Each structure stands twice: as C-alpha cells, then as structure tokens.
Amino acid sequence: EVRAFLDGLRRTFRAIEKSDCVFIAAINGAAFGGGTELALACDLRVASPATEMGLTEVKLGIIPGGGGTQRLARLIGPGRAKDLILTARRVNAAEAFSIGLVNRLAPEGHLLEVAFQLAEAVVENAPVAVATAKHAIDEGTGLELDDALALELKKYEEVLKTEDRLEGIRAFAEKRPPVYKGR
C-alpha cells in the first residue's frame, strides 16, 4: 500500500512540475513531510510568519518518499538539504526564506494577498513564454552548462514563432499593455 500511495504522490507532484501552469504554494503554519514535499514541487513558495517547514521523516525511521530528498537538494543545495533531512530539523519562515526554501515572506495576515500579487505578476506576462521559461529552467538545471545553453536557445526559438511575441513587441512600441492570447 505504501508503494501505491507514493507512486500516486510522485505522479501528482511531477504533473505539477511538468504543467505549463505556474503553481504557487501559500504556506501557513506547519508543513512537514508531505506538506514540504508538495511545496517543493511548486514553482514558487510564499510563507506566513507562522510557517514551519521540514522533512522530518528520519525521526520516524523512514526518509522523504515524495521526492523531498531530490527536490530540496536541487533547490537549496545538497549541504543544506542534508542538514535539514539528516537532523530532521524544522525551519521557521525567516530561515526558510534565507536559505531559499521559500521565495517570499508575507506579513502576518497577508499570506493570500502576497501569493495573489505574485500570481498577478506572473499572469501579466505572455503565457507561452512563462511556460517555456519554466520548462527551460526545470529541464536545464540538471544539464552541463553548454547543454543547458543549447536547450535555452531551442526554447527561445520556440517562443519566436508565437503570436504573443509579436503582440509584446507591438505593445511595447505602442506604449500600451499587451493583450496576450497564449498562442
């Protein structure tokens, strides 16, 4: 049963990562184990002052099974990931921000407001370009630099063919906000 549960969890998290949509985690309070793993699968993370995060599974005689060992190390580096995972240490919002585990800190009572502001900043941009940039970052992170740069060029050439690129250039020249259609 554990294997089936983890397979479902992993498929869900990978679907988040592979989606063209940008996922923003708004974290309020305790997010341990699977809660932190879900946040790690998201593209961006916003935390309230009450946030506490950690991959504390070793205290239970197991390890993070939803991708936490891999995603955390890629996000904050292997040394910091080992510090958190091997000690089952919990971090508060301020430390999570300082080590790059979360992208933004929200003032008390303003978590959703900050998360929505972040979402609005993303949505203002060309959807195809946003999705392509997301995939270029995710796919290129594990590659050697020359291969990653070749991937970036390939992704850049993909967005050159879009109507949104032409709209962005026209809007810039006409000094007006662009109206993107996702094509």
Side-chain angles (χ1 to χ4, degrees):
E1 290 177 17
V2 171
R3 170 70 85 146
F5 172 77
L6 289 177
D7 285 346
L9 196 63
R10 288 165 166 252
R11 276 194 310 276
T12 300
F13 292 167
R14 285 302 284 155
I16 289 170
E17 292 168 326
K18 291 184 173 286
S19 172
D20 287 347
C21 296
V22 173
F23 286 79
I24 300 171
I27 310 157
N28 186 28
F32 302 121
T36 292
E37 287 178 314
L38 172 58
L40 288 169
C42 292
D43 300 294
L44 301 166
R45 288 157 296 284
V46 180
S48 75
T51 295
E52 219 184 343
M53 300 177 75
L55 295 174
T56 58
E57 288 87 344
V58 296
K59 281 195 180 290
L60 304 173
I62 58 175
I63 69 170
T69 62
Q70 301 308 302
R71 288 184 183 95
L72 186 63
R74 283 168 171 76
L75 184 64
I76 66 171
R80 285 187 170 144
K82 285 178 183 178
D83 174 30
L84 296 184
I85 293 170
L86 302 181
T87 65
R89 190 163 69 82
R90 302 169 178 200
V91 295
N92 63 25
E95 185 175 0
F97 178 74
S98 75
I99 64 173
L101 180 52
V102 298
N103 305 92
R104 307 268 172 106
L105 292 178
E108 183 68 45
H110 296 278
L111 175 64
L112 291 181
E113 179 184 329
V114 172
F116 284 127
Q117 287 171 352
L118 184 56
E120 288 169 7
V122 172
V123 173
E124 289 176 0
N125 300 305
V128 175
V130 168
T132 304
K134 169 183 169 167
H135 297 308
I137 293 165
D138 289 345
E139 294 169 26
T141 298
L143 300 176
E144 293 294 326
L145 183 58
D146 288 335
D147 294 332
L149 291 171
L151 170 72
E152 180 184 74
L153 180 59
K154 178 180 169 233
K155 298 287 189 184
Y156 185 89
E157 290 170 345
E158 289 174 14
V159 296
L160 284 178
K161 303 170 190 171
T162 65
E163 291 176 30
D164 282 353
R165 178 189 68 91
L166 297 175
E167 168 59 14
I169 291 169
R170 271 193 303 272
F172 180 78
E174 296 169 7
K175 297 181 179 14
R176 63 169 174 82
V179 179
Y180 294 119
K181 296 189 173 139
R183 311 188 280 254

